[in-house]
Amino acid sequence: QVQLVESGGGSVQAGGSLRLSCATFGYTYSVVCMGWFRQAPGKEREGVAGLYFGGSSTDYADSVKGRFTISQDRAKNTLYLQMNSLKPEDTAMYYCAASFSCSSRLHARSQYDYKYWGQGTQVTVSA
């Protein structure tokens, strides 16, 4: 089992930056994928960025490519999402998730591959 705790959300003006963190506890050595997801009110949850530990390969939603970067510090068991050039449409609750079964980078943003989820951290971007 894995426990995930997100932090770093907040309110920022358009064009600004935030860095989200996800501290991971438990059977972290069994994790093969981690991802960041977001859900805005009235919208479905979206896979924003995924990291497949095999080769440390990443995948991003088209809407955030070039602006967001997913990374990890294995020594600290922490996942990060650096978000730059934020837009009002990035406003959402952001969740990190961990998977024991994700098979490749192409599955790293699929919520159906993830069993463990954090509580979420709110990101609000004003125009």
Side-chain angles (χ1 to χ4, degrees):
Q1 192 168 350
V2 174
Q3 295 80 43
L4 306 167
V5 180
E6 302 99 334
S7 61
S11 296
V12 65
Q13 288 190 328
S17 298
L18 285 173
R19 188 176 80 156
L20 306 183
S21 299
C22 175
T24 308
F25 306 92
Y27 291 100
T28 57
Y29 51 83
S30 295
V31 174
V32 294
C33 273
M34 291 194 74
W36 286 99
F37 297 79
R38 68 185 181 187
Q39 188 166 21
K43 294 187 177 181
E44 294 190 356
R45 187 160 51 189
E46 172 190 21
V48 173
L51 173 63
Y52 175 60
F53 287 9
S56 296
S57 52
T58 58
D59 189 51
Y60 296 92
D62 288 343
S63 57
V64 307
K65 278 182 182 176
R67 300 188 298 122
F68 290 12
T69 303
I70 188 172
S71 63
Q72 62 170 335
D73 184 331
R74 296 300 297 267
K76 295 182 179 179
N77 286 328
T78 301
L79 183 76
Y80 301 101
L81 184 68
Q82 178 67 44
M83 305 186 295
N84 298 328
S85 302
L86 282 162
K87 303 176 181 180
E89 51 263 44
D90 295 318
T91 295
M93 185 71 79
Y94 283 71
Y95 302 88
C96 71
S99 170
F100 290 174
S101 59
C102 163
S103 59
S104 73
R105 177 182 69 85
L106 297 178
H107 293 265
R109 289 192 298 113
S110 169
Q111 61 179 313
Y112 304 106
D113 281 274
Y114 286 88
K115 181 177 181 179
Y116 302 103
W117 294 82
Q119 294 299 309
T121 185
Q122 177 68 36
V123 171
T124 302
V125 184
S126 58

